[in-house]
Amino acid sequence: MPYDKYETVIGLEIHVQLATRSKAFCGDDASFGGEPNTYISPISLGHPGTLPRLNKKQVEYAVRLGLALGSRINLTSTFDRKNYFYADLPKGYQITQDRQPICVGGQLNIRVGEEQKIVRIHHIHMEEDAGKSMHDAEGPYSLIDLNRAGVPLLEIVSEPDLRSAEEVDAYMSAMRQLVRYLGISDGNMEQGSLRCDCNVSIRPKGSETLGQRCEIKNLNSMRYARRAIEYEVRRQAVLIESGGRVEQQTLNFDPATGITAPLRDKEDAHDYRYFPEPDLPPVVLEPGYVEEVRRNLPALPWEVYDRLTEEFGLPAYDAGLLSEERPTAIFFLELAQHTANFKAAANLIINKVIPYCNERGMEITAFPVSHGQLAAFIRLIDEGKVANAAAYQHIFPVLAESPNRPPLDIAQSLNLIQTSDEGLLEKLVEEVLANNPDEVERYRKGKKGLIGFFMGEVMKASQGQADPKVVNGLLRGKLG
Ligand code: ADP
Ligand code: MG
């Protein structure tokens, strides 16, 4: 395998579509979808004589993200025009930030398997989206929908710190999680709210200099990004091995064939003739404004994760799942106010509450059972009144459908209350031992695994209502 001796180097340009109500430079609706060409106006259509006006929310969201990533916030940033001709760009240029972007530097820490890794951010700039062309929908015609033209974007440019498709996946996922925590984007990849250009190069392992890179445009799914990178790395290695040279190119990935291919020349004309946008003054921020945005930042994903492992003692796996989405983390933190058994609370959310919501396409915030009721459910198990499995299997579904019914009441009506009455249980234990003399002998000769068999028999005899802890103690006592 010729590519084994090369190291992969990747830098990402992520485009995040911001969840503002209106577009970047005018009041048009910035929602996704809508009948084609209905969220438009003379400004987003670029009619002569119209002037852009900056959306305050876009600036606030950029600062929020910059602060979360530890970037330096540029108190003065400026807009530039990036000129190119394409049918879905009515003005003939895109308003972006080239010379003075709003955020500079910063980093995002990612976890890949057991490893932690720092990905440095080069800068974040504000810009606007173009419209959408559909080339294959209508016979020989191309269709254009300008609803998306002028929707606000942030572009997050990383340093070339990523080394594999797996790391790209982890970085994209962490960024998606962050923008959702910050409430600045829905992070929806299918709808294009989060997409990336992947700059890929390879170099001999151990080398410090960067190889020539290719840029794969507009990957809007983690799976495609993975496949595109794997294909591209192999292509470059085979090329170099056969004595060729990688040329800096802009590529398109075709999910149908699984290969990358150069874009048509005119789409790759990198002669954007950037120049300062004359219609927008510089964005000047007061230090006090930046501080206010900082004060209003929510707890960040990694802070929540640390709190779950350190303060609540949860295992890494549980903390990862519960901190994945902010509403889930909040759900746990609220439940933790009602019970001291944090691990049981985590189990209940992970194994029952989340699947229940997922099956119904329901947000966890709409889960009908109160935290107090869930805490009572946990207490039933902790006090030995109901077996864990019985509570999960039989009580939880009833509780979810009748959220106000006390769990104890449900347990009683389903006949699930366990007996810890030692006198009664002792009788059952003795009966089971008397009925299985061979197993008793084998146990005493060292076949200790038979304890499970005896437990099962006693549980059966009690119709599932014996407290397993008490039965276990009694069995061990009697078997010696
Ligand atoms: P441009 O502005 O032409 O797109 P930049 O130098 O700003 O180019 O880089 C864009 C992205 O490409 C950044 O994310 C950067 O980390 C990445 N990059 C630059 N050089 C390489 C390389 N040799 N291999 C992989 N990625 C690279
Ligand atoms: Mg670029």
Side-chain angles (χ1 to χ4, degrees):
M1 299 238 256
Y3 40 84
D4 271 0
K5 65 178 191 235
Y6 294 102
E7 176 182 51
T8 304
V9 176
I10 302 166
L12 242 53
E13 295 158 278
I14 298 184
H15 290 91
V16 183
Q17 191 169 313
L18 297 178
T20 57
R21 284 181 30 218
S22 54
K23 290 186 180 176
F25 303 109
C26 67
D28 296 356
D29 192 331
S31 311
F32 175 80
E35 276 296 297
N37 300 307
T38 52
Y39 303 157
I40 53 174
S41 66
I43 297 182
S44 56
L45 295 180
H47 286 193
T50 57
L51 288 171
R53 198 166 151 207
L54 181 58
N55 184 335
K56 252 193 199 166
K57 274 283 171 202
Q58 178 177 17
V59 178
E60 183 190 328
Y61 287 1
V63 173
R64 228 188 259 180
L65 181 62
L67 291 174
L69 292 170
S71 310
R72 180 169 64 76
I73 308 299
N74 249 337
L75 293 181
T76 302
S77 68
T78 54
F79 286 103
D80 300 277
R81 287 189 183 180
K82 178 176 176 178
N83 301 279
Y84 63 98
F85 178 79
Y86 205 71
D88 59 22
L89 188 74
K91 293 199 298 290
Y93 61 85
Q94 180 190 24
I95 302 179
T96 183
Q97 297 193 297
D98 185 44
R99 293 156 304 143
Q100 288 285 356
I102 188 154
C103 309
V104 178
Q107 66 178 60
L108 182 61
N109 291 18
I110 58 171
R111 266 192 307 270
V112 187
E114 301 287 286
E115 306 274 301
Q116 290 255 17
K117 159 153 203 165
I118 293 174
V119 181
R120 292 167 303 152
I121 307 296
H122 184 270
H123 76 267
I124 305 170
H125 66 255
M126 299 186 280
E127 59 183 32
E128 58 175 336
D129 212 344
K132 201 169 141 193
S133 321
M134 283 149 284
H135 297 302
D136 305 312
E138 225 16 78
Y141 303 105
S142 284
L143 300 183
I144 293 164
D145 177 7
L146 293 173
N147 284 354
R148 212 180 61 185
V151 163
L153 303 177
L154 294 180
E155 179 170 334
I156 309 158
V157 181
S158 84
E159 296 288 353
D161 286 348
L162 298 158
R163 294 290 173 268
S164 65
E166 201 188 358
E167 290 186 7
V168 168
D169 194 332
Y171 174 71
M172 285 288 281
S173 303
M175 200 59 89
R176 177 173 185 275
Q177 181 191 34
L178 179 60
V179 298
R180 288 170 62 84
Y181 259 72
L182 293 172
I184 65 174
S185 171
D186 62 24
N188 188 324
M189 291 193 82
E190 296 80 58
Q191 297 182 357
S193 305
L194 196 72
R195 42 190 204 262
C196 73
D197 302 341
C198 269
N199 295 271
V200 180
S201 67
I202 59 171
R203 63 184 175 192
K205 279 182 181 156
S207 161
E208 294 288 322
T209 46
L210 290 172
Q212 185 61 272
R213 73 184 148 119
C214 284
E215 178 174 1
I216 314 169
K217 278 285 185 201
N218 259 323
L219 294 162
N220 70 346
S221 117
M222 231 79 99
R223 209 158 48 84
Y224 291 171
R226 221 171 229 277
R227 285 172 58 204
I229 291 164
E230 278 158 13
Y231 175 85
E232 180 57 20
V233 164
R234 219 160 296 192
R235 185 189 73 83
Q236 293 184 12
V238 169
L239 187 62
I240 294 174
E241 282 295 304
S242 66
R245 237 184 46 209
V246 176
E247 287 192 43
Q248 187 166 346
Q249 260 177 332
T250 306
L251 307 172
N252 195 19
F253 175 70
D254 180 359
T257 55
I259 68 174
T260 58
L263 287 174
R264 275 168 293 159
D265 282 352
K266 74 169 187 209
E267 290 174 61
D268 189 24
H270 267 236
D271 196 2
Y272 293 130
R273 309 245 164 189
Y274 283 101
F275 66 83
E277 165 59 64
D279 291 339
L280 285 165
V283 183
V284 179
L285 304 177
E286 300 286 340
Y289 168 82
V290 176
E291 279 323 300
E292 194 189 316
V293 176
R294 191 195 299 279
R295 264 200 311 280
N296 289 323
L297 281 184
L300 301 173
W302 49 89
E303 293 169 350
V304 171
Y305 177 89
D306 288 349
R307 206 175 151 206
L308 295 185
T309 52
E310 286 156 26
E311 189 178 322
F312 294 94
L314 296 181
Y317 174 80
D318 297 33
L321 274 176
L322 293 174
S323 62
E324 182 59 42
E325 301 268 354
R326 196 161 110 88
T328 313
I330 291 172
F331 195 96
F332 171 81
L333 293 172
E334 280 173 6
L335 180 52
Q337 306 257 310
H338 292 83
T339 177
N341 192 343
F342 305 135
K343 178 58 180 143
N347 290 346
L348 181 59
I349 296 172
I350 292 170
N351 297 318
K352 297 306 275 188
V353 177
I354 294 176
Y356 181 92
C357 293
N358 286 348
E359 279 160 24
R360 288 162 183 76
M362 178 192 268
E363 299 291 329
I364 198 165
T365 47
F367 184 69
V369 185
S370 71
H371 296 102
Q373 281 277 83
L374 290 176
F377 173 93
I378 292 172
R379 223 174 304 123
L380 269 188
I381 303 169
D382 285 352
E383 288 171 354
K385 293 210 173 82
V386 179
N388 193 76
Y392 268 50
Q393 260 175 47
H394 304 298
I395 299 179
F396 183 88
V398 178
L399 182 60
E401 297 312 313
S402 5
N404 296 319
R405 231 177 120 187
L408 179 61
D409 184 50
I410 301 173
Q412 280 161 343
S413 71
L414 294 177
N415 231 340
L416 292 173
I417 298 293
Q418 311 187 114
T419 332
S420 46
D421 173 345
E422 295 230 8
L424 177 72
L425 293 181
E426 194 166 357
K427 231 180 91 226
L428 292 180
V429 166
E430 279 166 0
E431 272 172 30
V432 166
L433 296 184
N435 291 338
N436 297 283
D438 295 350
E439 281 77 7
V440 171
E441 207 184 314
R442 279 164 56 212
Y443 179 91
R444 292 204 167 117
K445 281 193 182 139
K447 195 110 175 57
K448 299 294 179 211
L450 280 169
I451 191 82
F453 164 77
F454 295 123
M455 287 287 298
E457 289 300 299
V458 178
M459 294 308 288
K460 233 189 281 168
S462 75
Q463 285 163 349
Q465 291 177 18
D467 180 336
K469 268 195 236 96
V470 177
V471 176
N472 195 294
L474 287 170
L475 276 170
R476 285 180 195 278
K478 296 212 179 290
L479 287 163

